[in-house]
Amino acid sequence: MVRITPMASFSVRPSLSASRFTGFSRSGLSIASFNTTRRIALLHLGSAIPQSQYVGLKASEMLRGEGSNLGMTVAGNAAQASTGASSENLLDWVKEDKRRLLHVVYRVGDLDKTIKFYTECLGMKLLRKRDIPEEKYTNAFLGFGPEDSHFVIELTYNYGVDKYDIGSGFGHFGIAVEDVYKTVELIKTKGGKVTREAGPVKGGRTVIAFVEDPDGYKFELIERGPTPEPLCQVMLRVGDLDRSIEFYKKAYGMELLRKRDNPDYKYTIAMMGYGPEDKNAVLELTYNYGVTDYEKGNAYAQIAIGTDDVYKTAEAVKLSGGKVTREPGPLPGINTKITACLDPDGWKSVFVDNVDFLKELE
């Protein structure tokens, strides 16, 4: 059983780019691998860590936690790291790298119940599911399209763990729907919890609503026309917005799509991503006036991002003030190359080699 960390209580801007309300909740856990060889490789790297602390991800994702000191031999990888390149050239390369948000990983207490809610109420599809009884966890991947072209969700259920602490730092996920009112009514008929009724945002015309899944994760429903990426947002709270914006631009190669200050509600948001919001999944970073630190809990894990070169990516992260928690290179026993890092607020991301990721899906 995972120890649930007590949640800090502060009054912060709850979720999204438009509606405001406070409140935090609890949820679930994760790890992953593919065949026996992959599982052995991951176990080898994480053998000193209790299974209940693992972060859910497959070989293309990260292993887990902050500050993991995972020693591994990467013969010949040094030549690929481009450490001889100038900082300026490296950061220029980041802007040109072919990057895409691949999936977001988090933990849930009842996998079947969550899958039912996401498919029946939110319109997602169950893309794949796998049970690993010897490691006592089950993964499920859900989304609005195939993993090779869409941003998707990876859920993890750890045997016997039915609650997690979402903490105060995680905000919400965003889903674009064509009719928010109808979606809200459907969710109500299925017994879902609506925390903000459908209606236009204050001072605007965009129709939104907020709902919660069975574990308490918040979803913002955003009324929008047909879009190639319905799973469109992940909102995280940060302690210094300008610092975060610069980090995500330099280290992750994201664009600042827009920034808005709302002094009436004492928060500022920044939308960061690899393309326009109506066609791509984005990060919504939120700064609440005067709040510089948040409890992260043990429910939300990380985002995985595709890259053409994990070695250059790790160097760029270091140059930009981020912390690399897993040095770049292939996972033992398989060829998938990854690197894992933390942003200045401690939010975790895993960068996965684009070619290797597609091979895994095959």
Side-chain angles (χ1 to χ4, degrees), residues 30-41:
S30 150
I31 182 178
S33 33
F34 275 54
N35 51 33
T36 302
T37 303
R38 295 172 191 269
R39 292 199 298 273
I40 291 174

Side-chain angles (χ1 to χ4, degrees), residues 18-19 180-181 184 196-202 204-210 220-223:
S19 107
V180 170
Y181 293 97
V184 166
R196 196 272 197 192
E197 292 290 344
V201 300
K202 292 181 179 180
R205 292 179 293 178
T206 302
V207 175
I208 66 165
F210 275 91
E220 179 185 23
L221 306 178
I222 308 165
E223 193 156 284

Side-chain angles (χ1 to χ4, degrees), residues 23-300:
F24 312 104
S25 334
R26 316 172 86 85
S27 296
L29 191 80
S30 150
I31 182 178
S33 33
F34 275 54
N35 51 33
T36 302
T37 303
R38 295 172 191 269
R39 292 199 298 273
I40 291 174
L42 290 176
L43 264 178
H44 176 70
L45 283 175
S47 57
I49 313 300
Q51 180 263 344
S52 61
Q53 295 179 17
Y54 283 143
V55 175
L57 48 227
K58 56 182 189 254
S60 68
E61 302 153 1
M62 163 146 157
L63 301 166
R64 56 137 228 300
E66 304 164 46
S68 342
N69 232 344
L70 303 178
M72 71 176 282
T73 303
V74 282
N77 288 346
Q80 301 178 52
S82 301
T83 53
S86 70
S87 300
E88 183 178 352
N89 289 343
L90 187 57
L91 296 180
D92 284 341
W93 170 83
V94 168
K95 298 175 185 176
E96 303 301 322
D97 188 23
K98 294 181 179 65
R99 297 188 173 183
R100 178 176 74 85
L101 298 184
L102 302 178
H103 47 254
V104 60
V105 186
Y106 54 101
R107 307 162 180 117
V108 297
D110 186 329
L111 192 58
D112 290 337
K113 187 176 181 180
T114 303
I115 291 172
K116 182 179 176 69
F117 179 83
Y118 287 9
T119 54
E120 294 185 1
C121 296
L122 300 180
M124 294 185 191
K125 297 176 182 178
L126 175 61
L127 303 174
R128 56 192 172 99
K129 182 180 179 182
R130 64 171 180 267
D131 184 45
I132 313 296
E134 60 269 34
E135 295 174 28
K136 299 182 179 180
Y137 73 88
T138 307
N139 285 131
F141 294 79
L142 297 102
F144 294 96
E147 293 176 64
D148 61 356
S149 58
H150 288 72
F151 184 53
V152 306
I153 286 170
E154 178 182 347
L155 303 175
T156 297
Y157 167 71
N158 291 274
Y159 292 8
V161 184
D162 60 4
K163 286 186 179 180
Y164 297 90
D165 181 8
I166 291 179
S168 57
F170 173 78
H172 67 268
F173 302 107
I175 294 182
V177 300
E178 293 189 40
D179 192 321
V180 170
Y181 293 97
K182 285 185 179 179
T183 304
V184 166
E185 290 307 310
L186 171 64
I187 291 171
K188 286 180 178 179
T189 63
K190 298 289 184 179
K193 182 178 179 181
V194 177
T195 58
R196 196 272 197 192
E197 292 290 344
V201 300
K202 292 181 179 180
R205 292 179 293 178
T206 302
V207 175
I208 66 165
F210 275 91
V211 301
E212 287 186 5
D213 77 357
D215 289 278
Y217 288 101
K218 293 180 174 61
F219 283 80
E220 179 185 23
L221 306 178
I222 308 165
E223 193 156 284
R224 186 180 289 175
T227 173
E229 199 66 282
L231 180 59
C232 59
Q233 290 179 2
V234 177
M235 192 278 260
L236 302 173
R237 300 182 174 95
V238 298
D240 184 328
L241 188 58
D242 290 336
R243 178 186 66 181
S244 294
I245 290 171
E246 286 308 305
F247 175 82
Y248 279 93
K249 286 169 64 176
K250 290 175 63 179
Y252 287 17
M254 292 185 180
E255 302 173 55
L256 174 60
L257 303 172
R258 61 186 172 96
K259 182 179 179 182
R260 188 178 78 241
D261 183 44
N262 193 327
D264 290 340
Y265 291 92
K266 298 183 179 181
Y267 72 87
T268 308
I269 64 164
M271 298 302 222
M272 309 289 298
Y274 296 112
E277 293 177 59
D278 61 340
K279 297 179 181 178
N280 299 271
V282 301
L283 277 181
E284 178 183 349
L285 303 178
T286 297
Y287 168 69
N288 292 283
Y289 291 9
V291 183
T292 59
D293 193 25
Y294 296 91
E295 292 291 331
K296 291 186 173 57
N298 60 359
Y300 173 84

